Amino acid sequence: MPSRNVPRTGGPAESCVMSSESRPEGEAGSGNGQEEKAPRETGDGDRADAPEEASHASAAPAASEDASAPESGTERAAGPAAQPAPQQAYADRCYRSPGALAGGVLLLLLAVWLGTDALVNGDARTRLSAGSGLLFAVPLVVAFTLRPAVYAGQQRMRVRNPFRTITVPWGTVEALRAGYSSEVVADGAKYQLWSIPVSLRARKRAARQTERAERAAADGHTAGALARPTGLFGLGGVPGADGGGEKRAASDQAIDELRTLAADHGESPEAQGEVTVRWAYEIAAPALAGAVALAVLYATS
């Protein structure tokens, strides 16, 4: 009678071919321990393969997530950097006189030309006089032409005059006026604004332009059609071409802007404080030294 061990003599290949899924449950459960071992081994192998497949299946989404992770990470990293930095409502504004700047540069060039010629070609006393004169004149030219400026920010206004620098917080400003000269009143004191000179001629010209634009608008014509060209040699454009509003002189426009800043920021806590005044010793000291040297030279001549 053939035993059940005959299939085993064919080698373990035949037993390995049959899996626990293809054999019936009754047959898989009958037999000795050796016969049960083969299906268990096969089943274990299948179960061992199953985690591999599951791991591969789970690895695919993980790989896709890893592939997309740098992009999302990059987006997250680039998100805050892409946002624009908050800007101030009012950047610091600088008010200077173009005519004073041009005149100061010309005067300095003239002083350097004459002084260099005297220092190179003059005798000993002439050289001393030229050096003392340059030491006295150059700081004064810089003080009255290049130095004056008004810096206006959110918290304060800094007025740089020829020999003083006045820092005026907006909370201390009482008035800003442009009569015959521009000035600011703060803490009961009055300070001149050297860099915003008042020109009566510019005011009259602005008033004429405004009147001409209003008259042209009343007649039904465009403001620029009947207006004369302005500027140097008539190349400065036509007044009223921007819609025919009220024309203002440059000094009056600057005072209006400063008044707006004072009204907008005068109540803020950052714009409070005291008015401070600092003397410009870097201008006064050389000018005083040059004046003393000139006085000594003329006294000993």
Side-chain angles (χ1 to χ4, degrees), residues 71-126:
E71 297 179 358
S72 61
T74 305
E75 293 176 357
R76 287 194 299 269
Q83 296 178 357
Q87 298 180 354
Q88 294 182 354
Y90 293 100
D92 287 348
R93 305 181 185 184
C94 180
Y95 299 91
R96 311 187 76 168
S97 174
L101 294 176
V105 171
L106 292 178
L107 288 176
L108 288 177
L109 291 177
L110 180 62
V112 169
W113 176 37
L114 297 177
T116 302
D117 181 69
L119 292 174
V120 172
N121 300 323
D123 55 5
R125 188 173 184 83
T126 303

Side-chain angles (χ1 to χ4, degrees), residues 213-265:
E214 292 177 353
R215 189 166 56 247
D219 294 340
H221 302 283
T222 59
L226 302 179
R228 294 182 305 170
T230 59
L232 185 62
F233 302 114
L235 301 178
V238 291
D242 55 349
E246 182 183 1
K247 305 302 175 182
R248 301 279 288 170
S251 59
D252 296 333
Q253 291 180 2
I255 293 298
D256 291 341
E257 293 178 1
L258 293 176
R259 287 172 181 167
T260 303
L261 288 174
D264 292 342
H265 304 286

Side-chain angles (χ1 to χ4, degrees), residues 133-154:
L134 289 176
L135 189 61
F136 172 71
V138 170
L140 294 181
V141 171
V142 172
F144 286 96
T145 58
L146 305 182
R147 176 179 163 80
V150 172
Y151 299 94
Q154 287 189 353

Side-chain angles (χ1 to χ4, degrees), residues 114-115 118-119 123-137 290 293-298 300-301:
L114 297 177
L119 292 174
D123 55 5
R125 188 173 184 83
T126 303
R127 293 177 180 176
L128 289 176
S129 300
S132 301
L134 289 176
L135 189 61
F136 172 71
L294 286 177
V296 171
L297 286 174
Y298 283 107
T300 58
S301 60

Side-chain angles (χ1 to χ4, degrees), residues 7-297:
R8 296 180 66 236
T9 58
E14 295 178 359
S15 63
C16 292
V17 170
M18 298 180 64
S19 64
S20 61
E21 297 177 356
S22 61
R23 294 182 60 184
E25 294 180 2
E27 188 178 358
S30 63
N32 55 11
Q34 295 178 355
E35 292 177 355
E36 293 177 356
K37 184 177 182 181
R40 286 197 188 105
E41 291 177 357
T42 306
D44 295 339
D46 295 338
R47 286 192 298 271
D49 295 336
E52 286 188 48
E53 295 176 359
S55 63
H56 289 303
S58 62
S64 62
E65 291 177 2
D66 293 338
S68 62
E71 297 179 358
S72 61
T74 305
E75 293 176 357
R76 287 194 299 269
Q83 296 178 357
Q87 298 180 354
Q88 294 182 354
Y90 293 100
D92 287 348
R93 305 181 185 184
C94 180
Y95 299 91
R96 311 187 76 168
S97 174
L101 294 176
V105 171
L106 292 178
L107 288 176
L108 288 177
L109 291 177
L110 180 62
V112 169
W113 176 37
L114 297 177
T116 302
D117 181 69
L119 292 174
V120 172
N121 300 323
D123 55 5
R125 188 173 184 83
T126 303
R127 293 177 180 176
L128 289 176
S129 300
S132 301
L134 289 176
L135 189 61
F136 172 71
V138 170
L140 294 181
V141 171
V142 172
F144 286 96
T145 58
L146 305 182
R147 176 179 163 80
V150 172
Y151 299 94
Q154 287 189 353
Q155 301 178 2
R156 60 185 62 86
M157 175 176 63
R158 185 160 60 94
V159 182
R160 197 171 67 183
N161 284 339
F163 298 105
R164 295 189 302 177
T165 299
I166 305 101
T167 302
V168 183
W170 292 121
T172 62
V173 174
E174 300 175 6
L176 281 158
R177 298 184 295 220
Y180 292 101
S181 64
S182 301
E183 57 190 19
V184 57
V185 180
D187 282 345
K190 183 174 64 175
Y191 305 98
Q192 301 291 329
L193 306 180
W194 282 73
S195 64
I196 308 178
V198 173
S199 174
L200 299 180
R201 181 180 179 183
R203 283 181 177 174
K204 293 179 180 179
R205 182 169 61 248
R208 289 196 302 268
Q209 293 175 2
T210 302
E211 182 181 359
R212 190 180 301 116
E214 292 177 353
R215 189 166 56 247
D219 294 340
H221 302 283
T222 59
L226 302 179
R228 294 182 305 170
T230 59
L232 185 62
F233 302 114
L235 301 178
V238 291
D242 55 349
E246 182 183 1
K247 305 302 175 182
R248 301 279 288 170
S251 59
D252 296 333
Q253 291 180 2
I255 293 298
D256 291 341
E257 293 178 1
L258 293 176
R259 287 172 181 167
T260 303
L261 288 174
D264 292 342
H265 304 286
E267 301 297 332
S268 62
E270 295 81 5
Q272 308 303 318
E274 298 180 355
V275 179
T276 59
V277 179
R278 186 186 70 85
W279 289 92
Y281 297 104
E282 66 276 9
I283 297 293
L288 183 60
V292 171
L294 286 177
V296 171
L297 286 174

